[in-house]
Amino acid sequence: MEELDQVIRLGRYEEARGRILAGEEGNADGLAVLLELRDWLRLKEYDKAQKLLEQDGDLIAGYLDVSQAKAAIEAFDLEDENKIAAYLDHPHLGAEAWAALGLLRIRSGNREEARQAFDRALLADPGHYRVKTNLANLTLEAGQTDEAIRMYEEVLKLNPEYALAHHNLGAAYRKKGQIDKSVYHIKRGQRLQMQPAARPPRSIIPGASAPLPQPERRPFLGSFGNRWWLWLLVIVVVYLLLNRQP
């Protein structure tokens, strides 16, 4: 059997996770960081991916060149096609490189090459739900509404909180005249867009470090939180005291 470290190095994360779940000893922390990196790339949260490499790059230095990974993510963010091309066959960054290339093809008006790029991205990462969403978008543009709906629903099985899939599924249902479903998914997408992206937990890997804290979600009224009524009462009392007749 191939060594577990080599499986991780080749980017076969699900196989590695399965072996660790089955009790095999391995670099659980390193795999957890790589999975987290993959999640941020899937979301196109490039700043968070760069921050992860800054904080935990030492845990995955045995699997990929961290400085190279930072340069790759910068190329994805800047949409530098020449630099993106250098990462198409990378075991950890290839899927996102193909995803970025597909977007460039869409912007140049070449839908067929975009589809081919997205297909290559899914070969590298079958769970890349943003890529699946882009393929569904192309399908919807081609007038295949029922197939696009099926694809968006498949995306939401992978990530039920992916705002863009909800929004575009709502648009597809509107084309079908199913207004109730359309309104539900569009509103769901809008609510999700207002929330900060949640950092994927590391607890999915036995033996990995505890999950890092989730980003703070500020209440509607900011730092007053759920005690806004108390502050309002204080303001009213102060106003009455200052304006009390002698």
Side-chain angles (χ1 to χ4, degrees):
M1 183 183 292
E2 202 167 4
E3 289 188 5
L4 185 53
D5 256 14
Q6 180 64 6
V7 170
I8 298 174
R9 192 170 293 110
L10 292 173
R12 286 151 46 189
Y13 302 150
E14 304 311 323
E15 179 183 344
R17 175 159 50 186
R19 285 168 64 169
I20 290 177
L21 287 170
E24 185 173 344
E25 290 188 6
N27 186 353
D29 278 327
L31 178 58
V33 172
L34 287 170
L35 287 168
E36 188 172 323
L37 177 63
R38 184 180 69 178
D39 281 334
W40 287 133
L41 292 178
R42 284 175 173 177
L43 282 167
K44 205 178 180 182
E45 292 281 350
Y46 293 147
D47 287 346
K48 291 181 174 65
Q50 293 282 28
K51 186 176 180 180
L52 175 67
L53 291 173
E54 288 287 342
Q55 292 179 340
D56 296 325
D58 58 316
L59 295 175
I60 55 176
Y63 304 119
L64 83 165
D65 183 323
V66 174
S67 61
Q68 183 189 55
K70 290 178 181 178
I73 295 169
E74 183 178 358
F76 302 154
D77 195 23
L78 295 176
E79 300 182 342
D80 188 325
E81 182 170 349
N82 291 329
K83 291 181 178 179
I84 288 170
Y87 303 102
L88 294 175
D89 295 323
H90 196 283
H92 306 285
L93 305 168
E96 189 58 28
W98 281 110
L101 189 62
L103 290 177
L104 289 174
R105 293 292 177 264
I106 286 178
R107 292 194 181 123
S108 66
N110 195 327
R111 294 317 199 244
E112 184 53 38
E113 286 191 11
R115 185 180 292 276
Q116 292 172 7
F118 292 144
D119 285 340
R120 290 292 298 270
L122 288 179
L123 283 175
D125 178 11
H128 200 314
Y129 45 82
R130 178 163 53 85
V131 167
K132 284 178 177 284
T133 302
N134 287 331
L135 281 169
N137 295 344
L138 290 173
T139 302
L140 186 62
E141 284 182 17
Q144 302 172 41
T145 307
D146 288 335
E147 177 62 11
I149 287 173
R150 185 196 67 78
M151 294 171 73
Y152 289 131
E153 288 176 341
E154 188 176 279
V155 168
L156 292 174
K157 288 178 182 177
L158 293 171
N159 184 355
E161 297 193 346
Y162 188 41
L164 184 60
H166 277 289
H167 182 276
N168 293 358
L169 177 57
Y173 274 127
R174 186 170 55 203
K175 282 193 172 187
K176 291 275 291 181
Q178 296 178 258
I179 303 303
D180 54 340
K181 290 184 177 180
S182 174
V183 170
Y184 169 80
H185 284 287
I186 288 175
K187 285 187 174 180
R188 177 73 173 141
Q190 289 172 341
R191 285 195 297 270
L192 289 168
Q193 279 184 319
M194 295 175 65
Q195 299 175 4
R199 192 166 194 175
R202 297 190 183 178
S203 57
I204 52 174
I205 303 293
S209 301
L212 295 177
Q214 300 289 321
E216 180 183 3
R217 295 188 178 183
R218 294 189 179 277
F220 180 70
L221 289 175
S223 58
F224 287 170
N226 292 325
R227 299 180 182 177
W228 63 269
W229 57 271
L230 183 58
W231 287 101
L232 181 60
L233 179 61
V234 170
I235 291 169
V236 171
V237 170
V238 170
Y239 175 85
L240 291 175
L241 288 173
L242 290 177
N243 291 275
R244 186 172 58 182
Q245 296 297 326

